[in-house]
Amino acid sequence: MTSEANLILVGVNHKTTPVEIREKLAFSQVKLEASLEQLVSSPEIIENIILSTCNRVEIYARVENTDQGIQLLQNFICDYHGISRGNLDQYFYSYCDNQAVEHLFRVSSSLDSMVLGEAQILGQVKEAYNTALSFSSTGMVLNQLFEKAFNVAKKVREETGIAERGVSISSAAVELAKKIFEDLENHSVMLVGTGEMAELAAKHLISYGVKTVYVASRTYERAASLAQSLNGCALDFESFKEEMHRADIIITSTAAPNFIIGKEMIETAVQKRKNKPIFLIDIAVPRDIAPEVNELENVYLYDIDDLQNVVNANMEERQKEAENAMEIIKQEVTKFNNWFSTLDAVPTIVEMRNRAEDMRKVEVDKTLKTMDHLSSEDKDAIQQLTQSLVNKILHKPTINLKKKTQSQDGHIYLKAIRDLFHLDD
Amino acid sequence: MDKISFNIALLSYLVASLGYFVYLVYRRPFVSTMAGCMVGMGLVFQTISIGIRSSLTGHGPYTTSYEVAMFLAWFMVVIYVLTEWKYKIKDLGAFVIPLVFFVMLISIFLSKDAGLVPEAEVRFWLTLHRTLSIIGYAAFSIAFAAGIMYLIQEHQVKTKKLGIMYFRMPSLEVLDNLNCKVITIGFPLFTLGFMTGSIWNTKVDQAFFSWDLVKTMPMVMVWVIYGLVFFGRMVTGLRGKKAAQGVILGFIAVIGSYFLHI
């Protein structure tokens, strides 16, 4: 990126800064509006956007001078929150131009998040952008940059598996349920025991469309109260075994010291279900379901360790996918550079054409002064001829310059044109 | 001209197969779009090839083993396109289109002579027999692909080793449903094809079954295997892994009987 972009980013995040500092530096929505106004009124700052979430506080800006801009933004953050700058220097990071662009793309694609690939950050970046937009603190470059960042995030989500693997026990369980049953809407879940984790998993399943919920517990009152909160139906602990065939997903979390569900029990249930699959999730420790149950056809049993293994493997996979995502981001940074470079070619082209036009005018005027015998039509014809001559000569260089400035070494061509035409004199 | 169209179609299916494989592993949306376009192109040129050949021979593509193979490949693509449109399982292409490619590749080595055109009445039963059977086989090929996918997915969920295919492939329920639907359509058509074939045989040989054991028995085997899956699902609730294994076994029998037939 040519230095004229003068894009900078100053910030702190969960990797560099402990929460007790971050919370002091956060901009609340009310503060945000006032801050944007204050920054925009500074003559050093052309455009700015403030991104403030619980894991990061970052200011993106386009400034007149990058070094001064970085100092100014760091001072601004400290002054605004009334904290001495000296204590904070170790926490701040700052990036310019390409690095700032790459950082934003990484942030919006959730590569810089605490939980890699989480979906929330993109919404937060969008919100920050919209707030800045409504206070007119952004201009052409930041608008383009942020719109691009949203596209990059979308592309990363679609083309890599960064977000497709659940990284919590309950999301891994929901994912498995969806790989067995596809659409959870017409399926039912039975909770045996009312453990907290089981409740959480059930809520997760309900949020994915599960409508029928059965709850069984040794204490009927607990079953009844949980069933009520989940909009389900409570079962007597003795009768859940007879009702098991009604449930597609069974989550167990009792405090029983031994297995309470054995192979034969599930075999009977599967027969009653005419071989429709059952997904068993055993969250209890010690376990509630005998592991041999998994040997039955159309039965899938996962205990807490199995789920934890899935989560760990998913984490690792997300890490691998992050590498693919970085490739996409690198390509997109280059594309953004290309866009910015074309922006740069325009003033040079205008100056080059003005210079040529000035020369033409001087020379034509000089000649016409010595040719008084010409009629005004003839003089006009000469004017037109020279104009079109200049246009013809400059047409190809203009087109080529626009093209060349999109390539990596575009700035060399710009510099050459400026030197050859003495544009900077 | 029909040969040029055939070659373009063959090449399109090869490129599409590779594209679907790349999509299966690397998940690049433009690759799957490209593969989809190649399937479309293949289908158009294959249709042209069949059309030209039919106009040259003066009858539909059902008299020689070459024509039957071409027609089968054509129906496989048509049913695949319809399935993909309905179920949106793009990865199915990685399993079906290579099959289409191989059926067409094999057909190259089969006799390209124009078959004899039988008299009108016999011709009617022959057309009906071959068309119904071919649609049945095409449906079986989709069931075969869905069956393979089911076994891969089921193995991963059962053994708790959730590899890349776990995330790429559809759910067990979708694959089992697809298996069920195509067999529900394919098996009755295949049965009708079987029956009309017997009628055609009667017209030719004046015998209901010629009882050429080598040729007939494999067909009976195929019918029995798919029949067990079809009725098993309706009566005993056969589904999932067993149904998937059933249709895979059935398709192996189909391939075997095809080679015995030619």
Side-chain angles (χ1 to χ4, degrees), chain A residues 184-209:
Chain A
L184 297 183
E185 265 186 28
N186 299 317
H187 293 89
S188 51
V189 60
M190 179 185 281
L191 298 182
V192 181
T194 52
E196 206 176 310
M197 281 255 280
E199 186 184 338
L200 195 70
K203 279 184 177 156
H204 216 75
L205 287 166
I206 290 166
S207 75
Y208 276 87

PDB file of all heavy atoms in Angstrom, chain A residues 184-209:
ATOM      1  N   LEU A 184     -34.091 -31.103  13.639  1.00  0.00           N
ATOM      2  CA  LEU A 184     -34.448 -31.517  14.995  1.00  0.00           C
ATOM      3  C   LEU A 184     -35.904 -31.211  15.352  1.00  0.00           C
ATOM      4  O   LEU A 184     -36.399 -31.624  16.389  1.00  0.00           O
ATOM      5  CB  LEU A 184     -33.506 -30.859  16.013  1.00  0.00           C
ATOM      6  CG  LEU A 184     -32.027 -31.243  15.886  1.00  0.00           C
ATOM      7  CD1 LEU A 184     -31.206 -30.590  16.990  1.00  0.00           C
ATOM      8  CD2 LEU A 184     -31.843 -32.751  15.932  1.00  0.00           C
ATOM      9  N   GLU A 185     -36.575 -30.506  14.467  1.00  0.00           N
ATOM     10  CA  GLU A 185     -37.917 -30.023  14.824  1.00  0.00           C
ATOM     11  C   GLU A 185     -38.917 -31.099  15.192  1.00  0.00           C
ATOM     12  O   GLU A 185     -39.720 -30.918  16.083  1.00  0.00           O
ATOM     13  CB  GLU A 185     -38.469 -29.159  13.684  1.00  0.00           C
ATOM     14  CG  GLU A 185     -38.190 -27.704  13.957  1.00  0.00           C
ATOM     15  CD  GLU A 185     -38.806 -26.768  12.978  1.00  0.00           C
ATOM     16  OE1 GLU A 185     -39.846 -27.113  12.391  1.00  0.00           O
ATOM     17  OE2 GLU A 185     -38.238 -25.682  12.810  1.00  0.00           O
ATOM     18  N   ASN A 186     -38.894 -32.190  14.457  1.00  0.00           N
ATOM     19  CA  ASN A 186     -39.877 -33.228  14.742  1.00  0.00           C
ATOM     20  C   ASN A 186     -39.338 -34.298  15.673  1.00  0.00           C
ATOM     21  O   ASN A 186     -39.826 -35.412  15.689  1.00  0.00           O
ATOM     22  CB  ASN A 186     -40.349 -33.865  13.435  1.00  0.00           C
ATOM     23  CG  ASN A 186     -41.008 -32.841  12.552  1.00  0.00           C
ATOM     24  OD1 ASN A 186     -41.796 -32.021  13.038  1.00  0.00           O
ATOM     25  ND2 ASN A 186     -40.660 -32.826  11.289  1.00  0.00           N
ATOM     26  N   HIS A 187     -38.314 -33.950  16.419  1.00  0.00           N
ATOM     27  CA  HIS A 187     -37.717 -34.948  17.293  1.00  0.00           C
ATOM     28  C   HIS A 187     -37.893 -34.583  18.767  1.00  0.00           C
ATOM     29  O   HIS A 187     -38.177 -33.437  19.097  1.00  0.00           O
ATOM     30  CB  HIS A 187     -36.248 -35.149  16.930  1.00  0.00           C
ATOM     31  CG  HIS A 187     -36.080 -35.783  15.579  1.00  0.00           C
ATOM     32  ND1 HIS A 187     -35.992 -35.041  14.430  1.00  0.00           N
ATOM     33  CD2 HIS A 187     -36.042 -37.081  15.206  1.00  0.00           C
ATOM     34  CE1 HIS A 187     -35.883 -35.866  13.395  1.00  0.00           C
ATOM     35  NE2 HIS A 187     -35.908 -37.106  13.836  1.00  0.00           N
ATOM     36  N   SER A 188     -37.705 -35.616  19.602  1.00  0.00           N
ATOM     37  CA  SER A 188     -37.988 -35.406  21.024  1.00  0.00           C
ATOM     38  C   SER A 188     -36.760 -35.728  21.860  1.00  0.00           C
ATOM     39  O   SER A 188     -35.903 -36.509  21.437  1.00  0.00           O
ATOM     40  CB  SER A 188     -39.138 -36.315  21.446  1.00  0.00           C
ATOM     41  OG  SER A 188     -38.837 -37.614  21.037  1.00  0.00           O
ATOM     42  N   VAL A 189     -36.688 -35.111  23.019  1.00  0.00           N
ATOM     43  CA  VAL A 189     -35.563 -35.358  23.908  1.00  0.00           C
ATOM     44  C   VAL A 189     -36.095 -35.784  25.283  1.00  0.00           C
ATOM     45  O   VAL A 189     -37.134 -35.292  25.728  1.00  0.00           O
ATOM     46  CB  VAL A 189     -34.631 -34.125  24.006  1.00  0.00           C
ATOM     47  CG1 VAL A 189     -35.360 -32.905  24.536  1.00  0.00           C
ATOM     48  CG2 VAL A 189     -33.409 -34.409  24.863  1.00  0.00           C
ATOM     49  N   MET A 190     -35.381 -36.718  25.902  1.00  0.00           N
ATOM     50  CA  MET A 190     -35.755 -37.130  27.260  1.00  0.00           C
ATOM     51  C   MET A 190     -34.570 -36.890  28.179  1.00  0.00           C
ATOM     52  O   MET A 190     -33.452 -37.313  27.880  1.00  0.00           O
ATOM     53  CB  MET A 190     -36.134 -38.612  27.284  1.00  0.00           C
ATOM     54  CG  MET A 190     -36.498 -39.109  28.678  1.00  0.00           C
ATOM     55  SD  MET A 190     -36.796 -40.900  28.721  1.00  0.00           S
ATOM     56  CE  MET A 190     -38.451 -40.990  28.058  1.00  0.00           C
ATOM     57  N   LEU A 191     -34.834 -36.193  29.289  1.00  0.00           N
ATOM     58  CA  LEU A 191     -33.786 -35.987  30.284  1.00  0.00           C
ATOM     59  C   LEU A 191     -34.006 -36.981  31.410  1.00  0.00           C
ATOM     60  O   LEU A 191     -35.090 -37.043  31.976  1.00  0.00           O
ATOM     61  CB  LEU A 191     -33.850 -34.575  30.867  1.00  0.00           C
ATOM     62  CG  LEU A 191     -33.632 -33.406  29.901  1.00  0.00           C
ATOM     63  CD1 LEU A 191     -33.676 -32.090  30.667  1.00  0.00           C
ATOM     64  CD2 LEU A 191     -32.301 -33.548  29.219  1.00  0.00           C
ATOM     65  N   VAL A 192     -32.982 -37.764  31.697  1.00  0.00           N
ATOM     66  CA  VAL A 192     -33.063 -38.665  32.845  1.00  0.00           C
ATOM     67  C   VAL A 192     -32.070 -38.120  33.863  1.00  0.00           C
ATOM     68  O   VAL A 192     -30.861 -38.166  33.643  1.00  0.00           O
ATOM     69  CB  VAL A 192     -32.704 -40.106  32.452  1.00  0.00           C
ATOM     70  CG1 VAL A 192     -32.826 -41.030  33.662  1.00  0.00           C
ATOM     71  CG2 VAL A 192     -33.604 -40.579  31.322  1.00  0.00           C
ATOM     72  N   GLY A 193     -32.606 -37.526  34.933  1.00  0.00           N
ATOM     73  CA  GLY A 193     -31.762 -36.781  35.878  1.00  0.00           C
ATOM     74  C   GLY A 193     -31.797 -35.316  35.464  1.00  0.00           C
ATOM     75  O   GLY A 193     -32.029 -34.997  34.289  1.00  0.00           O
ATOM     76  N   THR A 194     -31.581 -34.457  36.467  1.00  0.00           N
ATOM     77  CA  THR A 194     -31.765 -33.037  36.179  1.00  0.00           C
ATOM     78  C   THR A 194     -30.470 -32.249  36.368  1.00  0.00           C
ATOM     79  O   THR A 194     -30.479 -31.119  36.839  1.00  0.00           O
ATOM     80  CB  THR A 194     -32.867 -32.448  37.091  1.00  0.00           C
ATOM     81  OG1 THR A 194     -32.533 -32.798  38.451  1.00  0.00           O
ATOM     82  CG2 THR A 194     -34.227 -32.992  36.760  1.00  0.00           C
ATOM     83  N   GLY A 195     -29.356 -32.848  35.990  1.00  0.00           N
ATOM     84  CA  GLY A 195     -28.065 -32.161  36.111  1.00  0.00           C
ATOM     85  C   GLY A 195     -28.029 -30.869  35.297  1.00  0.00           C
ATOM     86  O   GLY A 195     -28.751 -30.728  34.310  1.00  0.00           O
ATOM     87  N   GLU A 196     -27.152 -29.975  35.748  1.00  0.00           N
ATOM     88  CA  GLU A 196     -27.078 -28.650  35.124  1.00  0.00           C
ATOM     89  C   GLU A 196     -26.653 -28.734  33.656  1.00  0.00           C
ATOM     90  O   GLU A 196     -27.214 -28.079  32.787  1.00  0.00           O
ATOM     91  CB  GLU A 196     -26.060 -27.819  35.904  1.00  0.00           C
ATOM     92  CG  GLU A 196     -26.320 -26.325  35.812  1.00  0.00           C
ATOM     93  CD  GLU A 196     -25.330 -25.581  36.676  1.00  0.00           C
ATOM     94  OE1 GLU A 196     -25.173 -25.946  37.864  1.00  0.00           O
ATOM     95  OE2 GLU A 196     -24.696 -24.659  36.140  1.00  0.00           O
ATOM     96  N   MET A 197     -25.645 -29.604  33.406  1.00  0.00           N
ATOM     97  CA  MET A 197     -25.143 -29.753  32.040  1.00  0.00           C
ATOM     98  C   MET A 197     -26.205 -30.335  31.119  1.00  0.00           C
ATOM     99  O   MET A 197     -26.319 -29.949  29.958  1.00  0.00           O
ATOM    100  CB  MET A 197     -23.917 -30.673  32.041  1.00  0.00           C
ATOM    101  CG  MET A 197     -22.669 -29.995  32.473  1.00  0.00           C
ATOM    102  SD  MET A 197     -21.636 -29.665  31.058  1.00  0.00           S
ATOM    103  CE  MET A 197     -20.897 -31.265  30.816  1.00  0.00           C
ATOM    104  N   ALA A 198     -26.979 -31.280  31.667  1.00  0.00           N
ATOM    105  CA  ALA A 198     -28.037 -31.900  30.876  1.00  0.00           C
ATOM    106  C   ALA A 198     -29.084 -30.853  30.508  1.00  0.00           C
ATOM    107  O   ALA A 198     -29.580 -30.801  29.379  1.00  0.00           O
ATOM    108  CB  ALA A 198     -28.680 -33.028  31.667  1.00  0.00           C
ATOM    109  N   GLU A 199     -29.381 -30.000  31.483  1.00  0.00           N
ATOM    110  CA  GLU A 199     -30.369 -28.935  31.254  1.00  0.00           C
ATOM    111  C   GLU A 199     -29.867 -28.003  30.151  1.00  0.00           C
ATOM    112  O   GLU A 199     -30.601 -27.630  29.240  1.00  0.00           O
ATOM    113  CB  GLU A 199     -30.583 -28.165  32.562  1.00  0.00           C
ATOM    114  CG  GLU A 199     -31.682 -27.135  32.460  1.00  0.00           C
ATOM    115  CD  GLU A 199     -31.826 -26.307  33.741  1.00  0.00           C
ATOM    116  OE1 GLU A 199     -31.398 -26.783  34.806  1.00  0.00           O
ATOM    117  OE2 GLU A 199     -32.352 -25.194  33.630  1.00  0.00           O
ATOM    118  N   LEU A 200     -28.574 -27.666  30.234  1.00  0.00           N
ATOM    119  CA  LEU A 200     -27.971 -26.779  29.245  1.00  0.00           C
ATOM    120  C   LEU A 200     -28.049 -27.392  27.845  1.00  0.00           C
ATOM    121  O   LEU A 200     -28.443 -26.731  26.875  1.00  0.00           O
ATOM    122  CB  LEU A 200     -26.510 -26.533  29.628  1.00  0.00           C
ATOM    123  CG  LEU A 200     -25.815 -25.375  28.946  1.00  0.00           C
ATOM    124  CD1 LEU A 200     -26.381 -24.052  29.436  1.00  0.00           C
ATOM    125  CD2 LEU A 200     -24.309 -25.435  29.202  1.00  0.00           C
ATOM    126  N   ALA A 201     -27.696 -28.688  27.769  1.00  0.00           N
ATOM    127  CA  ALA A 201     -27.735 -29.385  26.477  1.00  0.00           C
ATOM    128  C   ALA A 201     -29.158 -29.416  25.935  1.00  0.00           C
ATOM    129  O   ALA A 201     -29.390 -29.200  24.739  1.00  0.00           O
ATOM    130  CB  ALA A 201     -27.178 -30.789  26.626  1.00  0.00           C
ATOM    131  N   ALA A 202     -30.133 -29.673  26.849  1.00  0.00           N
ATOM    132  CA  ALA A 202     -31.536 -29.721  26.423  1.00  0.00           C
ATOM    133  C   ALA A 202     -31.973 -28.363  25.883  1.00  0.00           C
ATOM    134  O   ALA A 202     -32.643 -28.273  24.849  1.00  0.00           O
ATOM    135  CB  ALA A 202     -32.416 -30.133  27.594  1.00  0.00           C
ATOM    136  N   LYS A 203     -31.576 -27.296  26.571  1.00  0.00           N
ATOM    137  CA  LYS A 203     -31.946 -25.947  26.121  1.00  0.00           C
ATOM    138  C   LYS A 203     -31.366 -25.672  24.733  1.00  0.00           C
ATOM    139  O   LYS A 203     -32.012 -25.070  23.883  1.00  0.00           O
ATOM    140  CB  LYS A 203     -31.438 -24.902  27.122  1.00  0.00           C
ATOM    141  CG  LYS A 203     -32.357 -24.772  28.317  1.00  0.00           C
ATOM    142  CD  LYS A 203     -31.908 -23.678  29.243  1.00  0.00           C
ATOM    143  CE  LYS A 203     -32.919 -23.543  30.386  1.00  0.00           C
ATOM    144  NZ  LYS A 203     -32.320 -22.936  31.571  1.00  0.00           N
ATOM    145  N   HIS A 204     -30.137 -26.134  24.543  1.00  0.00           N
ATOM    146  CA  HIS A 204     -29.476 -25.966  23.252  1.00  0.00           C
ATOM    147  C   HIS A 204     -30.254 -26.692  22.159  1.00  0.00           C
ATOM    148  O   HIS A 204     -30.488 -26.161  21.082  1.00  0.00           O
ATOM    149  CB  HIS A 204     -28.062 -26.537  23.358  1.00  0.00           C
ATOM    150  CG  HIS A 204     -27.055 -25.765  22.587  1.00  0.00           C
ATOM    151  ND1 HIS A 204     -26.564 -24.561  22.997  1.00  0.00           N
ATOM    152  CD2 HIS A 204     -26.456 -26.022  21.402  1.00  0.00           C
ATOM    153  CE1 HIS A 204     -25.703 -24.113  22.103  1.00  0.00           C
ATOM    154  NE2 HIS A 204     -25.620 -24.980  21.126  1.00  0.00           N
ATOM    155  N   LEU A 205     -30.679 -27.921  22.486  1.00  0.00           N
ATOM    156  CA  LEU A 205     -31.449 -28.705  21.511  1.00  0.00           C
ATOM    157  C   LEU A 205     -32.777 -28.027  21.209  1.00  0.00           C
ATOM    158  O   LEU A 205     -33.226 -27.984  20.064  1.00  0.00           O
ATOM    159  CB  LEU A 205     -31.690 -30.121  22.043  1.00  0.00           C
ATOM    160  CG  LEU A 205     -30.475 -31.054  22.038  1.00  0.00           C
ATOM    161  CD1 LEU A 205     -30.736 -32.282  22.887  1.00  0.00           C
ATOM    162  CD2 LEU A 205     -30.129 -31.470  20.606  1.00  0.00           C
ATOM    163  N   ILE A 206     -33.408 -27.486  22.268  1.00  0.00           N
ATOM    164  CA  ILE A 206     -34.703 -26.816  22.082  1.00  0.00           C
ATOM    165  C   ILE A 206     -34.526 -25.606  21.173  1.00  0.00           C
ATOM    166  O   ILE A 206     -35.344 -25.339  20.292  1.00  0.00           O
ATOM    167  CB  ILE A 206     -35.304 -26.426  23.455  1.00  0.00           C
ATOM    168  CG1 ILE A 206     -35.733 -27.693  24.202  1.00  0.00           C
ATOM    169  CG2 ILE A 206     -36.506 -25.492  23.291  1.00  0.00           C
ATOM    170  CD1 ILE A 206     -36.029 -27.492  25.668  1.00  0.00           C
ATOM    171  N   SER A 207     -33.389 -24.884  21.371  1.00  0.00           N
ATOM    172  CA  SER A 207     -33.166 -23.705  20.530  1.00  0.00           C
ATOM    173  C   SER A 207     -32.965 -24.110  19.068  1.00  0.00           C
ATOM    174  O   SER A 207     -33.110 -23.306  18.168  1.00  0.00           O
ATOM    175  CB  SER A 207     -31.979 -22.901  21.040  1.00  0.00           C
ATOM    176  OG  SER A 207     -30.782 -23.566  20.709  1.00  0.00           O
ATOM    177  N   TYR A 208     -32.620 -25.384  18.832  1.00  0.00           N
ATOM    178  CA  TYR A 208     -32.499 -25.868  17.452  1.00  0.00           C
ATOM    179  C   TYR A 208     -33.782 -26.548  16.972  1.00  0.00           C
ATOM    180  O   TYR A 208     -33.766 -27.239  15.974  1.00  0.00           O
ATOM    181  CB  TYR A 208     -31.296 -26.802  17.307  1.00  0.00           C
ATOM    182  CG  TYR A 208     -30.024 -26.032  17.086  1.00  0.00           C
ATOM    183  CD1 TYR A 208     -29.277 -25.564  18.162  1.00  0.00           C
ATOM    184  CD2 TYR A 208     -29.587 -25.714  15.802  1.00  0.00           C
ATOM    185  CE1 TYR A 208     -28.118 -24.830  17.965  1.00  0.00           C
ATOM    186  CE2 TYR A 208     -28.439 -24.979  15.603  1.00  0.00           C
ATOM    187  CZ  TYR A 208     -27.710 -24.545  16.678  1.00  0.00           C
ATOM    188  OH  TYR A 208     -26.570 -23.804  16.470  1.00  0.00           O
ATOM    189  N   GLY A 209     -34.849 -26.386  17.705  1.00  0.00           N
ATOM    190  CA  GLY A 209     -36.144 -26.815  17.176  1.00  0.00           C
ATOM    191  C   GLY A 209     -36.806 -27.990  17.862  1.00  0.00           C
ATOM    192  O   GLY A 209     -37.957 -28.299  17.566  1.00  0.00           O
TER     193      GLY A 209
END
